[in-house]
Amino acid sequence: MPILRPALLACCALLLPVPPAFAGAPVVTAPEGQQAGTLTLERVYASPGLNGPSPRGVKLSPDGRWLTVLRNRPDDRERYDLWGFDRKSGQWTMLVDSRKLSSGRELSEAEKMQRERMRVGDLKGIISYDWNADGKSLLVPLDGDLLLVGLDGAARRLDGVSADARDAALSPKGGYVSFVAERRFWVGAVAGGKPVAISPDEASATVHWGEAEFVAQEEMARFKGAWWAPDDSRVALERFDEAKVGVVTRAAIGAAGTRTFEQRYPAAGTANAEVSLWVMKPDGTERVRVDLGSDPDIYLARVDWAPDGRTLYVQRQNRAQTRLDLLAVDPTTGAAQVLLSETARDKSWVNLSDAYRFLKDGSLIWWSERDGFGRLYHYPKGRFAAADARLLTPGPGVVTALVGVDQARHRLFYTSTGNDPLEQQVYALDWTRPGAPQRLTEPGWVNAASMDKAGQNLLVTRSAQAQPPQVYLIKADGSGERVWVEQNAVTGDHPYAPYLKAHRAPTFGTAKAADGTELHWRMITPVMEPGKRYPVFFSHYGGPHVQVVNRAWTGALAQAIVAKGYIYFEIDNRGSANRGVAFESPIWRAMGSVEVADQKAGLDYLKGLPFVDPTKVAIYGWSYGGYMTLKMLEADPGAYAAGIAGAPVTKWELYDTHYTERYMGDPREVPEAYARSGTIADAARISDPLLLIHGMADDNVVFDNSTAMIAKLQAEGVPFEMMLYPGYTHRVTGPKIGPHVWNTIFVFLERHGVTPPR
């Protein structure tokens, strides 16, 4: 496929017609302030969302004729309905109106918590769906029901489905529907009849079948515990037992009362769930246990079937996360052999990835950081020695995702940072012919992509500094025209159009870390008057597996902060993602050290700018960023004008095993590392104004983190302020609560003199 040039795209793009408003849709008027072009915090959180339409779950039907997407409603930005576009007729159809077909049933606590771990807890309506193999129907979970929906919008509720049903899926051939409920795995025929539980009915309430354990969902990006064979003949099921996992009493403190939950939470240094893997037929017979090795204290990282269904591939990770083994399993006997292993570089760990693919010819595309950067390799059939692996993607840049594979043409598609670590482009290459990869997307954008199973159509989502996310479809071979799924042009009645004239473009640059490493920063400045100095809203995250600074759309919130007269600033410290192992691994057994020093380098850079008021640099962070606020205030008292810590980790012993031990090791073995990385011991060093914010029903960074810090600050006589949100979890947001959080922050800053010049 030839590289697409921006000048050509404008003249040849084919725009999908915008889906019409459904019958009975309310007329949505611009909230107060929009007409005047004044961007307020209230407007940032109101509907319609300022990012414009935000499609989710864009998919192609198996035959490629239909394109389906979840669209949020103009009057409720968090509610999603299912729409379909018939590529033959050129017509949009609302296939499922989530309001009309909703049962109104409250979600179970298990599903609420699973949605929190998937970071979609604030969404309503339809959050996922599956195409049936025949291309004529879709499985749509909605508020505890499972709907089988035809292309004409006709919906049938499946009988015998528990209100606790989660992880619903259709088998690859479309013969079965499966789900998890009441700790068991259920299977039913799509053609009709009530589903039955095919996993054993075990007496223990700590045993679960067919679902992912807590750390798999929260930290491994593995949200399922069941894997169907390609021909529907077997299903592999995870079984886990939480009996040895410690129980924490999680208090969901709400406005009208408090509910407590006895939650199995594997804190760092404590027991994990005992995990095993089983293979059985769809009726539950011929149950076989997979040999995962002699060490029971391992992580079940990934499970995949070979294309022919004759082999089950399992990725097994040791608890220290310094070794990852790829196992080939005979599904009829459970016997396993190690095909290849990845081992950590010195003072580092092995990162998990989904950038791999088992091919029909028996060969393997595999992602590895063995040379210090994420690359793709090709292993020929039956040859898995390190010397057999052929490097497909030499530098520069790191491979961030394997998008798809066209096996007939030996082409694979992937995203990479390429020549610019602040961008992400889509590339294609022929793995049988060494040579330079072909870039398929334009410089200046941050792109993500997905493909159909055959690797024939490419769905690209992109954004840029002044352009909210766009989604388009192109053929992988470069033929035909670009089809916009959502062009999202900021013109006409686009929600952000009234603010585009006042939009402030970011600038980018680098500062030097203590060892000379270049650290990338992004800055957005307000309209400034010569000779005046301006306060800085210094936002940070700082944790691993995240890159904050890039050329993507920053969103309206940053613009609203700048509209108040603040400079908005971010810098990526060592330990953050997409710069290679050497850049990420300095936090090994040393969280809260190099990240804090690198953020201080950002502060030093800011204070040298003639338009920055060096006495008015306020820091803000949430989650790991909240932890960073506390560590930064403790490390450099007096350096910052004020600090805001949202939902902070304060003691790493309170956080979970898989995340914490990956970077910090086991606290039973290296207690001194945990002592250095905590925030409680040095709380008395905080002398700058501090605002502490936390949702009181947080199940991720549990509220105990903040109460421990609150108690220590009080015991040391350290003044601070706090704002707590009853009933809210790790994400404290919404049309009313979002503005409340941010108005609280700016009132706090004003109270301490961190204000723009007059």
Side-chain angles (χ1 to χ4, degrees), residues 277-300:
L277 185 65
W278 301 71
V279 181
M280 62 191 71
K281 287 195 170 182
D283 60 1
T285 61
E286 299 186 19
R287 191 179 305 134
V288 173
R289 181 169 181 165
V290 172
D291 181 6
L292 294 179
S294 59
D295 182 2
D297 198 10
I298 53 96
Y299 293 110
L300 181 67

Side-chain angles (χ1 to χ4, degrees), residues 364-581:
L364 170 66
I365 305 296
W366 183 255
W367 182 91
S368 172
E369 291 181 299
R370 64 190 59 172
D371 74 347
F373 295 91
R375 315 283 195 202
L376 293 177
Y377 296 80
H378 182 243
Y379 285 91
K381 179 180 180 179
R383 295 162 55 190
F384 293 98
D388 296 322
R390 184 163 58 88
L391 175 62
L392 299 177
T393 57
V398 299
V399 173
T400 54
L402 177 59
V403 174
V405 177
D406 179 352
Q407 300 195 49
R409 295 173 176 82
H410 309 110
R411 282 170 63 83
L412 63 83
F413 303 81
Y414 63 96
T415 55
S416 171
T417 55
N419 293 308
D420 188 342
L422 304 190
E423 297 184 2
Q424 188 167 273
Q425 306 295 340
V426 182
Y427 295 86
L429 59 80
D430 183 334
W431 69 80
T432 66
R433 299 179 182 178
Q438 181 182 24
R439 179 168 50 81
L440 304 178
T441 48
E442 301 89 0
W445 300 81
V446 175
N447 297 271
S450 61
M451 299 190 82
D452 59 299
K453 291 183 179 180
Q456 302 302 301
N457 297 280
L458 190 68
L459 277 164
V460 178
T461 299
R462 69 177 191 177
S463 74
Q465 300 165 38
Q467 174 59 58
Q470 299 177 310
V471 184
Y472 64 84
L473 175 70
I474 54 175
K475 290 186 177 181
D477 63 4
S479 64
E481 299 175 320
R482 173 179 297 193
V483 177
W484 287 105
V485 178
E486 185 55 71
Q487 191 172 22
N488 203 20
V490 187
T491 58
D493 60 356
H494 189 285
Y496 194 68
Y499 311 105
L500 189 59
K501 185 177 180 180
H503 182 88
R504 302 290 295 169
T507 56
F508 298 87
T510 60
K512 296 283 189 181
D515 68 346
T517 300
E518 284 195 341
L519 308 173
H520 290 274
W521 55 254
R522 170 169 51 202
M523 181 188 301
I524 309 174
T525 59
V527 176
M528 297 186 293
E529 297 180 29
K532 289 189 175 182
R533 290 177 175 261
Y534 290 81
V536 179
F537 190 89
F538 189 158
S539 178
H540 52 261
Y541 180 76
H545 279 209
V546 172
Q547 180 184 10
V548 172
V549 179
N550 57 35
R551 301 189 195 282
W553 169 250
T554 55
L557 179 59
Q559 294 290 326
I561 292 171
V562 171
K564 285 180 168 289
Y566 292 83
I567 297 168
Y568 186 87
F569 182 81
E570 299 170 293
I571 189 168
D572 274 330
N573 50 254
R574 284 170 292 171
S576 56
N578 296 337
R579 293 280 302 276
V581 174

Side-chain angles (χ1 to χ4, degrees), residues 146-268:
L146 298 183
L147 307 176
L148 198 64
V149 180
L151 296 177
D152 59 356
R156 171 169 65 91
R157 280 185 170 83
L158 299 183
D159 294 331
V161 176
S162 167
D164 184 38
R166 289 169 286 122
D167 302 340
L170 291 166
S171 60
K173 291 292 185 182
Y176 301 99
V177 60
S178 62
F179 58 89
V180 171
E182 300 161 1
R183 298 180 291 102
R184 301 180 71 188
F185 186 75
W186 298 70
V187 174
V190 171
K194 291 187 177 181
V196 297
I198 68 168
S199 58
D201 185 9
E202 303 198 44
S204 173
T206 61
V207 174
H208 298 249
W209 280 88
E211 60 181 300
E213 76 276 23
F214 175 86
V215 292
Q217 295 182 45
E218 183 66 46
E219 309 300 356
M220 296 187 229
R222 177 170 68 77
F223 297 102
K224 66 179 183 178
W227 299 268
W228 281 96
D231 61 358
D232 287 10
S233 63
R234 288 182 171 87
V235 62
L237 296 183
E238 174 184 349
R239 176 191 183 272
F240 69 85
D241 186 351
E242 296 180 296
K244 295 181 180 179
V245 177
V247 177
V248 297
T249 301
R250 179 171 59 86
I253 303 172
T258 298
R259 291 188 298 168
T260 59
F261 298 93
E262 299 296 308
Q263 179 178 345
R264 298 277 179 174
Y265 188 92

Side-chain angles (χ1 to χ4, degrees), residues 96-175:
V96 179
D97 181 332
S98 66
R99 279 183 177 156
K100 288 184 177 179
L101 291 182
S102 172
S103 65
R105 182 187 302 166
E106 183 179 0
L107 298 176
S108 67
E109 187 66 20
E111 182 164 2
K112 289 179 182 177
M113 292 301 100
Q114 184 182 58
R115 289 189 177 198
E116 286 294 320
R117 292 187 278 275
M118 295 174 71
R119 309 300 187 257
V120 294
D122 55 335
L123 302 186
K124 298 175 288 187
I126 304 166
I127 65 168
S128 65
Y129 66 95
D130 274 338
W131 270 100
N132 203 340
D134 62 7
K136 297 179 181 179
S137 61
L138 306 96
L139 180 68
V140 180
L142 178 60
D143 297 341
D145 287 331
L146 298 183
L147 307 176
L148 198 64
V149 180
L151 296 177
D152 59 356
R156 171 169 65 91
R157 280 185 170 83
L158 299 183
D159 294 331
V161 176
S162 167
D164 184 38
R166 289 169 286 122
D167 302 340
L170 291 166
S171 60
K173 291 292 185 182

Side-chain angles (χ1 to χ4, degrees), residues 681-704:
D682 290 333
R685 287 179 55 82
I686 296 176
S687 61
D688 302 310
L690 167 64
L691 172 62
L692 187 65
I693 306 173
H694 214 129
M696 300 179 77
D698 196 332
D699 78 319
N700 181 355
V701 179
V702 294
F703 187 44
D704 290 3

Side-chain angles (χ1 to χ4, degrees), residues 57-104:
V58 183
K59 298 181 182 182
L60 288 168
S61 61
D63 61 6
R65 174 173 171 174
W66 282 80
L67 183 146
T68 46
V69 60
L70 299 176
R71 289 188 183 274
N72 54 335
R73 300 166 77 101
D75 63 322
D76 187 347
R77 57 192 266 179
E78 296 174 346
R79 176 173 288 279
Y80 284 79
D81 304 305
L82 178 62
W83 288 81
F85 179 75
D86 185 342
R87 298 173 70 188
K88 185 175 181 180
S89 69
Q91 298 297 313
W92 279 101
T93 303
M94 178 183 272
L95 299 176
V96 179
D97 181 332
S98 66
R99 279 183 177 156
K100 288 184 177 179
L101 291 182
S102 172
S103 65

